[in-house]
Amino acid sequence: MAPIEPKNLSAQLNYRARGNPPSTHPREAIANCFPGLEFDFRNVWKRLFVGIELHEADTRVIKVEPGSEAAARGVTTNHDLMSVGGVPVRARVRTGGVLTDSTRSLEWANALAPVLSGPDRTPECRFEVLGNPGAVIVNLELRPLFDGVAISQDLASPGDLTQSLCSPWQADYRECACFYWAASRPDFVNVEISGDRAQGHNWMDRERGEREYITDDPRDPRLVSYDDLYRNWEKTLKVQIGGKDEE
């Protein structure tokens, strides 16, 4: 008998390739990919442009393919990608309402969305060596993001989506010392505003009750620390067992 091959995309999305753990399936995601607890989707952007490889969390060029158009035009690992098709992927930082000379890379998925959905498959890419005048401008070919409903293996080989996750995994709950969950998984809930102050429940608060918002600082004794997550994660994270959270 011939194997059943579903034609509708939703059925194909439910397929889990052999060797991939359940946590890598899209339906298991926490709706955040920076970096997330199951996979780090930023790794997909690294090889989006033919001829170069970018850092997964920045716009720095970390590899230039010999003989590529980028290499021929002088792009090196000293360069940062500044814009694609006229859309900035790196922007100047504003501090205290004042625009500074320092720059910071923008979030890949938002910055490149209009480029990926546009008709131009060889957009103009602007590269600069930060702090130096001048730029290298070259048109680079965009690799397709998907092969059918799967992420193209030209962008992410097996293992790539999980290679940059935190170790130990508990570190991802704090990420880089900041509240970082997606809007669908908020940190601070049941919020009530009184004047310029907010009261609510914070999942990183050592106390379970409602209190005024606390600015995140892993050194603040009122908040869960990295050591708490590493040494006592099953109690710190209040794991649900039998419908009740562990105390």
Side-chain angles (χ1 to χ4, degrees):
M1 180 182 293
I4 298 175
E5 297 183 2
K7 301 300 183 182
N8 58 312
L9 295 183
S10 59
Q12 294 180 51
L13 283 170
N14 286 322
Y15 175 75
R16 179 161 61 90
R18 179 178 297 177
N20 288 329
S23 61
T24 60
H25 198 282
R27 69 168 174 244
E28 305 300 331
I30 58 170
N32 193 6
C33 59
F34 187 78
L37 293 174
E38 316 84 5
F39 52 85
D40 189 349
F41 196 72
R42 297 175 303 172
N43 287 300
V44 172
W45 307 114
K46 293 170 56 174
R47 303 182 185 91
L48 190 61
F49 300 96
V50 174
I52 65 170
E53 183 175 330
L54 299 166
H55 190 282
E56 77 274 3
D58 205 342
T59 58
R60 174 60 58 89
V61 178
I62 62 172
K63 183 178 180 180
V64 181
E65 187 177 322
S68 65
E69 183 66 18
R73 298 296 294 273
V75 177
T76 71
T77 52
N78 291 322
H79 282 94
D80 275 78
L81 179 63
M82 304 300 290
S83 66
V84 179
V87 178
V89 294
R90 194 172 188 93
R92 291 170 65 188
V93 175
R94 187 182 297 274
T95 302
V98 178
L99 202 60
T100 68
D101 290 331
S102 62
T103 62
R104 186 172 182 177
S105 57
L106 303 178
E107 202 280 321
W108 284 117
N110 293 325
L112 290 178
V115 176
L116 291 175
S117 60
D120 188 1
R121 307 318 296 167
T122 55
E124 180 182 277
C125 298
R126 180 185 179 91
F127 297 88
E128 294 182 10
V129 177
L130 296 181
N132 295 336
V136 174
I137 298 176
V138 56
N139 288 74
L140 295 181
E141 180 183 351
L142 281 170
R143 287 191 171 97
L145 191 60
F146 294 103
D147 180 6
V149 297
I151 297 170
S152 170
Q153 287 201 28
D154 289 335
L155 297 182
S157 300
D160 281 356
L161 290 180
T162 56
Q163 67 179 356
S164 57
L165 295 181
C166 287
S167 180
W169 61 266
Q170 296 98 312
D172 266 328
Y173 279 94
R174 270 203 156 276
E175 207 259 340
C176 299
C178 64
F179 295 145
Y180 91 108
W181 292 106
S184 58
R185 306 291 193 278
D187 308 289
F188 195 52
V189 298
N190 303 326
V191 181
E192 295 183 4
I193 305 297
S194 177
D196 60 351
R197 299 185 181 277
Q199 290 273 130
H201 293 89
N202 183 348
W203 81 269
M204 283 201 290
D205 196 334
R206 291 181 186 275
E207 298 181 7
R208 306 287 317 264
E210 180 178 336
R211 76 156 96 194
E212 187 176 307
Y213 178 77
I214 302 172
T215 302
D216 184 28
D217 183 347
R219 297 164 297 184
D220 191 321
R222 296 172 295 177
L223 300 178
V224 170
S225 68
Y226 284 107
D227 280 350
D228 293 329
L229 290 170
Y230 300 160
R231 299 175 184 274
N232 198 28
W233 64 267
E234 68 277 15
K235 293 186 180 298
T236 300
L237 295 177
K238 304 295 190 299
V239 177
Q240 291 283 324
I241 300 176
K244 298 180 179 180
D245 46 331
E246 179 68 16
E247 293 291 354

